[in-house]
């Protein structure tokens, strides 16, 4: 521990794209924060990331813990009152257990340790993947919708998020002993990164800007700014009536396709975007998609950034961090 103040806030998965932003925001708010990492070798990398946002990392401390192992969680939760559980595997795999087991069992490890430690509230980063990946006649989704794990052909990642969030609510209902849970369900996250590599959802941007993606996938989605998701974590922790609820987090306006993202990059960024694809991969036109963010705006006070600003600032941050092959 490097701080004289004892942390009462825990963020799991401190190395992550979202978590580094959330750590920086919590530190900037004056909180003393502990974070978990799989290996303490990553400590300096996380400190550098939060400093990139202008935060002072003096009140940040680290504990090693893995979602697939009991070791470390009791120490991670000691003295903690508030938990932001962001850690979950963000990998593409054809083997569902590779993501379902760490996501579900990890969430349960965190909740069990939180309950033992007398934590007040856990804010869980779930996903739109736990809400809107089962077909509906009209693709119009709000927080009452759930992805059905039995959906034929459901890929491993949305399955992991649906199973983990369901397990979290079941745990709190049966064994939570007063522990409050809030689930945040962001759509696809973009926005400036603080990490030293293009992690997670940012690989799509590097593929477009470096020209390795020659045609955009035919998919329609909502976009959430990483800074807004972090702000939603803070509001979900401090808003009394958020307890027991889920919140979809995304920008206002119509949902987008990857070709829409490519068009914004080309229009706004000139030479930096000269390799961005101009065509979509073959396939059917994705069905219209509506995702509601009214609850987060009304109850959490979320004022989401416009998606165009998010797209432009993502590309600029990747350029500024030297994470693109194109240097314009
Ligand atoms: P990320 O950068 O890949 O962060 C994931 C974090 O989880 C990393 O800290 C990673 O640690 C950790 N993790 C993965 N497997 C682990 C394990 N077995 N034990 C311990 N830690 C493990 O992705 P992100 O975009 O920040 O995602 C953060 C959260 O947001 C996740 O819950 C994700 O499902 C959710 N989410 C993301 C998006 C999106 O578009 N990015 C959208 C909706 C929801 P390592 O660095 O050691 O791998």
């Amino acid at each position: 521990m490097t701080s004289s103040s004892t942390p009462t806030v825990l963020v799991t998965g401190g190395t992550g794209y979202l978590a580094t932003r959330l750590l920086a925001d919590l530190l900037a708010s004056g909180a003393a924060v502990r974070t978990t990492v799989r290996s303490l070798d990553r400590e300096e990398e996380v400190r550098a990331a939060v400093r990139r946002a202008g935060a002072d990392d003096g009140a940040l401390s680290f504990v090693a813990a893995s979602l697939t192992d009991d070791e470390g969680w009791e120490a991670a939760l000691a003295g903690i009152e508030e938990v932001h559980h962001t850690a979950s595997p963000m990998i593409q795999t054809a083997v569902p257990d590779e993501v379902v087991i760490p996501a579900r069992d990890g969430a349960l490890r965190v909740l069990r340790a939180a309950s033992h430690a007398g934590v007040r509230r856990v804010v869980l980063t779930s996903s739109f993947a736990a809400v809107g990946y089962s077909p509906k006649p009209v693709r119009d989704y709000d927080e009452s919708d759930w992805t059905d794990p039995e959906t034929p052909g459901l890929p491993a990642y949305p399955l992991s998020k649906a199973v983990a969030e369901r397990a979290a609510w079941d745990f709190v209902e049966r064994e939570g002993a007063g522990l409050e849970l809030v689930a945040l369900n962001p759509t696809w996250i973009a926005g400036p990164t603080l990490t030293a590599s293009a992690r997670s959802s940012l690989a799509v941007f590097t593929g477009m800007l470096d020209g390795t993606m020659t045609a955009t996938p035919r998919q329609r989605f909502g976009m959430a700014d990483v800074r807004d998701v972090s702000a939603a974590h803070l509001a979900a922790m401090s808003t009394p009536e958020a307890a027991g609820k889920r919140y979809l987090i995304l920008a206002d306006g119509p949902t987008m396709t990857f070709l829409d993202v490519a068009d914004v990059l080309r229009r706004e960024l000139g030479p930096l975007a000269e390799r961005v694809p101009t065509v979509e991969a073959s396939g059917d036109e994705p069905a219209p998609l509506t995702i509601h963010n009214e609850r987060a705006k009304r109850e959490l006070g979320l004022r989401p950034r416009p998606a165009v600003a998010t797209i432009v600032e993502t590309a600029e941050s990747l350029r500024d961090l030297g994470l693109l092959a194109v240097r314009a």
Side-chain angles (χ1 to χ4, degrees):
M1 304 245 297
T2 55
S3 166
S4 54
S5 39
T6 310
T8 56
V9 183
L10 178 74
V11 175
T12 65
T15 52
Y17 171 41
L18 169 62
T20 45
R21 178 65 62 179
L22 178 57
L23 287 170
D25 288 347
L26 283 162
L27 291 164
S29 76
V33 190
R34 186 182 294 153
T35 191
T36 62
V37 283
R38 289 200 247 195
S39 161
L40 293 175
D41 295 346
R42 309 283 296 277
E43 173 171 343
E44 198 37 53
E45 171 191 334
V46 177
R47 289 191 183 282
V50 303
R51 285 196 298 262
R52 239 170 239 133
D56 178 352
D57 64 319
L60 177 61
S61 56
F62 292 79
V63 167
S66 166
L67 295 174
T68 50
D69 198 322
D70 287 335
E71 206 176 323
W73 290 109
E74 196 182 325
L77 269 300
I80 294 294
E81 295 166 11
E82 301 179 344
V83 177
H84 298 274
H85 177 44
T86 77
S88 200
M90 281 284 296
I91 53 167
Q92 308 259 20
T93 173
V95 185
D97 279 357
E98 286 181 6
V99 284
V100 172
I101 290 174
R104 179 197 58 212
D105 295 3
L108 291 174
R109 281 193 170 90
V110 169
L111 288 165
R112 216 172 279 125
S115 177
H116 285 156
V119 164
R120 177 181 71 81
R121 183 176 287 191
V122 175
V123 179
L124 166 75
T125 328
S126 185
S127 173
F128 176 69
V131 174
Y133 275 58
S134 294
K136 280 173 94 174
V138 175
R139 295 209 306 160
D140 187 308
Y141 294 96
D142 66 17
E143 288 86 355
S144 65
D145 291 297
W146 271 93
T147 297
D148 178 356
E150 303 298 327
T151 305
L154 186 66
Y157 173 71
L159 175 64
S160 78
K161 297 305 285 184
V163 166
E165 191 193 326
R166 183 65 84 186
W169 287 117
D170 288 348
F171 174 86
V172 167
E173 196 181 305
R174 289 197 203 125
E175 310 169 48
L179 178 67
E180 295 177 347
L181 179 64
V182 185
L184 299 183
N185 301 80
T187 55
W188 194 62
I189 301 177
T193 188
L194 300 173
T195 57
S197 62
R199 296 182 63 105
S200 181
S201 36
L202 296 180
V204 170
F205 279 85
T206 54
M208 282 190 192
L209 291 160
D210 288 346
T212 47
M213 183 193 286
T214 51
T216 59
R218 265 184 203 265
Q219 206 178 320
R220 185 163 281 287
F221 54 86
M223 182 173 290
D225 190 293
V226 67
R227 295 163 292 187
D228 294 335
V229 181
S230 175
H233 262 273
L234 302 189
M237 190 61 83
S238 63
T239 304
E241 60 268 35
K245 292 188 188 155
R246 328 166 76 197
Y247 291 90
L248 282 162
I249 310 295
L250 70 155
D252 289 335
T255 53
M256 320 181 72
T257 64
F258 287 108
L259 191 60
D260 295 330
V261 175
D263 289 344
V264 171
L265 290 171
R266 260 197 318 278
R267 193 176 68 231
E268 303 288 333
L269 290 166
L272 183 62
E274 65 188 6
R275 299 187 201 180
V276 166
T278 54
V279 292
E280 278 186 311
S282 57
D284 295 336
E285 187 60 23
L289 171 66
T290 304
I291 310 170
H292 293 275
N293 63 3
E294 291 86 354
R295 181 188 277 183
K297 292 204 289 186
R298 192 175 59 244
E299 298 182 11
L300 301 182
L302 196 69
R303 297 284 168 271
R305 285 168 175 76
V308 169
T310 300
I311 294 166
V312 169
E313 289 167 38
T314 307
E316 289 171 344
S317 99
L318 293 169
R319 175 198 60 199
D320 295 348
L321 286 166
L323 300 178
L324 297 176
V326 187
R327 293 276 180 266

Coordinates of all heavy atoms in Angstrom, one line a residue, residues 29 45 54-55 60-61 68 74-75 87 89 98 112 116 118 120 144 172 183 235 248 287 289 292 308:
S29 N -11.7 12.0 -7.7 CA -12.7 12.4 -6.8 C -12.3 12.4 -5.3 O -13.0 12.7 -4.4 CB -14.0 11.5 -6.9 OG -13.7 10.2 -6.2
E45 N 2.2 -0.5 -14.9 CA 1.4 -0.2 -16.1 C 0.0 0.5 -15.8 O -0.4 1.4 -16.4 CB 1.1 -1.6 -16.8 CG 0.2 -1.6 -17.9 CD -0.1 -3.1 -18.3 OE1 0.7 -4.0 -18.0 OE2 -1.2 -3.3 -18.8
G54 N -4.3 12.3 -15.7 CA -4.1 13.4 -14.8 C -4.4 13.1 -13.3 O -4.3 14.0 -12.5
A55 N -4.7 11.8 -13.0 CA -5.0 11.5 -11.7 C -3.7 11.2 -10.9 O -2.7 10.8 -11.5 CB -5.9 10.2 -11.6
L60 N -3.6 4.8 -4.7 CA -4.0 3.5 -5.4 C -3.2 2.4 -4.8 O -2.0 2.5 -4.7 CB -3.8 3.7 -6.9 CG -4.1 2.5 -7.8 CD1 -5.5 2.1 -7.7 CD2 -3.7 2.8 -9.2
S61 N -3.8 1.3 -4.5 CA -3.1 0.1 -4.1 C -3.6 -1.1 -4.8 O -4.7 -1.1 -5.4 CB -3.2 0.0 -2.5 OG -4.6 -0.1 -2.2
T68 N -10.6 -17.0 -11.4 CA -10.7 -18.5 -11.4 C -10.1 -19.1 -10.2 O -9.8 -20.3 -10.1 CB -10.1 -19.0 -12.7 OG1 -8.8 -18.5 -12.8 CG2 -10.9 -18.7 -13.9
E74 N -10.3 -12.5 -0.3 CA -10.5 -12.0 1.1 C -9.7 -10.8 1.4 O -10.2 -9.8 1.9 CB -10.2 -13.1 2.1 CG -10.8 -12.9 3.5 CD -10.4 -14.0 4.4 OE1 -10.3 -15.2 4.0 OE2 -10.2 -13.6 5.6
A75 N -8.4 -10.8 1.0 CA -7.5 -9.7 1.2 C -8.0 -8.5 0.4 O -8.0 -7.3 0.8 CB -6.1 -10.0 0.8
A87 N -14.0 -6.8 -13.9 CA -13.2 -7.8 -14.5 C -14.1 -8.9 -15.1 O -15.1 -9.4 -14.5 CB -12.3 -8.5 -13.5
P89 N -13.6 -11.8 -18.8 CA -12.8 -12.0 -20.0 C -13.5 -11.5 -21.3 O -14.7 -11.8 -21.5 CB -12.7 -13.6 -20.1 CG -13.6 -14.2 -19.1 CD -14.1 -13.1 -18.2
E98 N -14.4 -21.2 -21.5 CA -13.2 -20.4 -21.3 C -13.6 -19.0 -20.9 O -12.8 -18.3 -20.2 CB -12.4 -20.2 -22.6 CG -11.6 -21.5 -23.0 CD -10.8 -21.3 -24.3 OE1 -10.8 -20.2 -24.8 OE2 -10.3 -22.3 -24.7
R112 N -19.4 -13.1 -2.9 CA -19.3 -13.9 -1.7 C -18.4 -13.2 -0.7 O -18.7 -12.9 0.5 CB -18.8 -15.3 -2.0 CG -19.4 -16.4 -1.1 CD -19.1 -17.8 -1.6 NE -19.9 -18.2 -2.7 CZ -19.4 -18.7 -3.8 NH1 -18.1 -18.7 -4.1 NH2 -20.3 -19.1 -4.8
H116 N -19.2 -11.3 2.9 CA -18.5 -11.6 4.1 C -17.9 -10.4 4.7 O -17.8 -10.2 5.9 CB -17.4 -12.6 3.9 CG -17.9 -14.0 3.7 ND1 -17.3 -15.0 3.1 CD2 -19.1 -14.6 4.1 CE1 -18.0 -16.1 3.1 NE2 -19.1 -15.9 3.7
G118 N -19.0 -7.4 4.6 CA -19.9 -6.3 4.9 C -20.0 -5.2 4.0 O -20.3 -4.0 4.4
R120 N -21.3 -2.6 1.3 CA -22.6 -1.9 1.2 C -23.2 -2.3 -0.2 O -24.3 -2.7 -0.3 CB -22.5 -0.4 1.4 CG -23.8 0.4 1.1 CD -23.5 1.9 1.3 NE -22.8 2.5 0.2 CZ -23.3 2.8 -0.9 NH1 -24.6 2.6 -1.2 NH2 -22.5 3.4 -1.9
S144 N -35.9 -4.5 -19.2 CA -36.7 -5.7 -18.8 C -36.3 -6.9 -19.7 O -36.8 -8.0 -19.5 CB -38.2 -5.4 -19.0 OG -38.5 -5.1 -20.4
V172 N -27.4 -12.6 -4.8 CA -27.8 -11.5 -3.9 C -29.2 -11.8 -3.3 O -29.4 -11.5 -2.1 CB -27.8 -10.1 -4.6 CG1 -28.5 -9.0 -3.9 CG2 -26.3 -9.7 -4.9
A183 N -26.6 -3.5 -11.7 CA -25.9 -3.9 -12.9 C -26.0 -2.8 -13.9 O -27.0 -2.2 -14.2 CB -26.6 -5.2 -13.4
A235 N -22.2 7.1 -10.4 CA -23.6 7.4 -10.1 C -24.4 6.2 -9.5 O -25.2 6.3 -8.6 CB -24.3 8.0 -11.3
L248 N -29.2 0.2 -18.9 CA -28.6 0.3 -20.2 C -27.8 1.6 -20.3 O -28.3 2.7 -20.0 CB -29.6 0.2 -21.3 CG -30.1 -1.2 -21.5 CD1 -31.4 -1.2 -22.3 CD2 -29.1 -2.1 -22.2
A287 N -31.2 -5.9 -39.1 CA -32.5 -5.4 -38.8 C -32.4 -4.1 -38.0 O -31.4 -3.9 -37.2 CB -33.3 -6.4 -38.0
L289 N -32.6 -1.5 -34.9 CA -32.3 -1.9 -33.5 C -32.5 -0.6 -32.7 O -31.9 0.4 -33.0 CB -30.9 -2.4 -33.4 CG -30.3 -2.5 -32.0 CD1 -31.0 -3.6 -31.2 CD2 -28.8 -2.9 -32.1
H292 N -32.9 1.5 -25.3 CA -33.3 2.6 -24.5 C -32.4 2.9 -23.4 O -32.0 2.1 -22.6 CB -34.7 2.3 -23.9 CG -35.8 2.2 -25.0 ND1 -36.5 3.3 -25.4 CD2 -36.2 1.2 -25.7 CE1 -37.3 2.9 -26.4 NE2 -37.2 1.6 -26.6
V308 N -20.5 10.7 -32.3 CA -19.5 11.3 -33.2 C -18.2 11.7 -32.4 O -17.1 11.4 -32.8 CB -20.0 12.4 -34.0 CG1 -18.9 13.2 -34.8 CG2 -21.1 11.9 -35.0

